[in-house]
Amino acid sequence: MDRIINKIASGDISALDKLYKELKPTFGTFCREHFNMDADSVQDLYQETIAAVYNNIMTDRLKEDSLRSTKL
């Protein structure tokens, strides 16, 4: 994930496209199973989510080190 964020931040749109395609199925499944959303609503929410992620990367609010987690 770190490399994708850095690539997007440097203007590599293909990295954004890769992120979009890789996460879409999981995102859709999660929304339908947990929130009983229809396909159109899932698509709309996903588009908004990807736009927000992109904007946060480009404005330096989302950085590679902010996605680190620790296992309990």
Side-chain angles (χ1 to χ4, degrees):
M1 184 68 83
D2 294 347
R3 288 189 223 158
I4 290 177
I5 290 173
N6 289 335
K7 286 180 179 182
I8 293 169
S10 69
D12 184 348
I13 298 302
S14 66
L16 180 63
D17 185 55
K18 180 179 179 181
L19 179 73
Y20 182 93
K21 289 176 181 175
E22 284 183 11
L23 297 179
K24 189 175 181 179
T26 304
F27 184 92
T29 299
F30 180 83
C31 288
R32 284 188 297 278
E33 289 178 358
H34 294 280
F35 302 106
N36 197 28
M37 295 174 71
D38 62 73
D40 288 338
S41 296
V42 171
Q43 178 65 27
D44 290 345
L45 181 59
Y46 191 63
Q47 294 284 5
E48 291 175 21
T49 301
I50 290 296
V53 167
Y54 177 77
N55 287 332
N56 284 329
I57 290 170
M58 299 309 289
T59 58
D60 222 20
R61 285 182 273 172
L62 180 60
K63 301 177 185 181
E64 62 182 71
D65 59 344
S66 64
L67 296 178
R68 302 266 185 246
S69 66
T70 58
K71 294 183 180 181
L72 298 176

